[in-house]
Amino acid sequence: MTGKYIKYAIGEIILVVIGILIALQINNWNEQRKERLTQHQLIDVLITDLESKKAEFVGDLAFGNTILKNSKTAINYWERHNKIDTLNLKVLLKYLAEDDWFFDENSPIYATISGSGLWKQLPDSINRQIDDVYRNQFGSIKSAFAKQTEYALNAKLSFLAPKRLLLFDKSTLELLPIVSENDEEFITKIELFKSGVIRLTSKFKTTIPAIDKLIENLELYKEKS
């Protein structure tokens, strides 16, 4: 009888141990599931931030292309006819006065994720992509915006303000003789401003695809994890 009790007791112990192991496994599985859910939520937030930045750049690129088109038209007309074209004259003067261009490359989302456990778990290739987009690409765009603001401020101080062209309360016909008297200076300012917009639009054209590729890789990682 004693042997039967011992076997029974051993069997009970084994069942208890198996039950504990199963419970631990379930607990571990639940913890891993929670971690994956948290990771996916962080990735989704990062993707949302990237999509917001991309939308901003797409809008800025469209605006930049409009500026380039209007600037090119004015410069070409002056070179062919040696006089100022009235088409978009007032708009071009407003462009020259826009010294409030600004881009904040800092992202609370990026700062949070780069200091979290998710950063260590992501593949190095994706970490490098994230770092390149937020540090290098966005930083480069910020510098280009700052340079563009510098051009506009220079135009306001050296050209627009001295000639009382800052209020934009004059008609195109009233503006024409003022600008025509200083046509070479006006065209020079437009060319300088245009060069800054070319720099900005080229950076948008590089950054937008980089964001798309990063989002694609984040989505793939999320699917596989």
Side-chain angles (χ1 to χ4, degrees), residues 4-220:
K4 288 183 179 180
Y5 283 124
I6 291 174
K7 289 180 181 178
Y8 178 78
I10 291 173
E12 288 291 317
I13 291 171
I14 291 173
L15 289 174
V16 170
V17 170
I18 292 173
I20 292 173
L21 290 175
I22 292 173
L24 289 173
Q25 184 64 32
I26 292 173
N27 184 65
N28 287 338
W29 182 82
N30 284 332
E31 288 300 318
Q32 290 173 0
R33 185 176 63 83
K34 289 178 182 177
E35 287 181 5
R36 283 198 302 273
L37 180 60
T38 300
Q39 289 177 10
H40 290 178
Q41 288 173 338
L42 286 172
I43 290 173
D44 286 340
V45 171
L46 180 60
I47 289 174
T48 299
D49 188 53
L50 288 166
E51 288 176 338
S52 175
K53 288 287 195 298
K54 176 190 169 182
E56 182 179 346
F57 295 150
V58 168
D60 288 340
L61 177 58
F63 181 57
N65 285 333
T66 299
I67 293 176
L68 293 178
K69 179 182 177 181
N70 292 338
S71 300
K72 184 178 180 180
T73 298
I75 293 169
N76 288 345
Y77 186 90
W78 181 79
E79 289 176 344
R80 287 196 307 268
H81 304 284
N82 197 30
K83 63 180 181 178
I84 298 297
D85 186 11
T86 55
L87 180 66
N88 296 318
L89 175 58
K90 201 165 187 177
V91 171
L92 288 169
L93 289 170
K94 288 182 178 179
Y95 287 160
L96 290 179
E98 291 181 349
D99 62 347
D100 56 351
W101 290 25
F102 176 78
F103 173 67
D104 184 6
E105 88 285 15
N106 295 317
S107 169
I109 305 302
Y110 169 70
T112 299
I113 289 179
S114 63
S116 71
L118 173 63
W119 191 258
K120 297 177 181 179
Q121 296 175 26
L122 287 171
D124 288 341
S125 58
I126 293 182
N127 281 338
R128 286 195 295 270
Q129 272 188 288
I130 296 173
D131 208 45
D132 176 64
V133 167
Y134 277 92
R135 289 181 181 274
N136 299 330
Q137 304 271 9
F138 290 177
S140 179
I141 288 174
K142 180 182 180 180
S143 297
F145 267 110
K147 179 58 69 174
Q148 194 64 18
T149 298
E150 182 182 321
Y151 291 157
L153 180 60
N154 174 270
K156 286 177 74 172
L157 295 176
S158 64
F159 182 75
L160 298 174
K163 295 167 180 54
R164 298 183 180 179
L165 296 172
L166 281 176
L167 296 179
F168 306 110
D169 56 347
K170 296 180 177 64
S171 67
T172 299
L173 291 178
E174 290 175 311
L175 292 170
L176 183 60
I178 301 173
V179 176
S180 296
E181 286 181 12
N182 307 274
D183 58 344
E184 289 190 16
E185 186 179 2
F186 171 70
I187 293 298
T188 298
K189 297 298 183 185
I190 291 296
E191 287 177 334
L192 183 61
F193 194 82
K194 176 188 169 188
S195 70
V197 176
I198 290 174
R199 184 186 301 110
L200 262 173
T201 54
S202 68
K203 293 185 184 302
F204 294 146
K205 290 175 182 177
T206 301
T207 302
I208 290 170
I211 291 175
D212 284 335
K213 187 62 178 176
L214 175 54
I215 290 175
E216 178 185 343
N217 288 339
L218 287 168
E219 294 283 10
L220 287 173

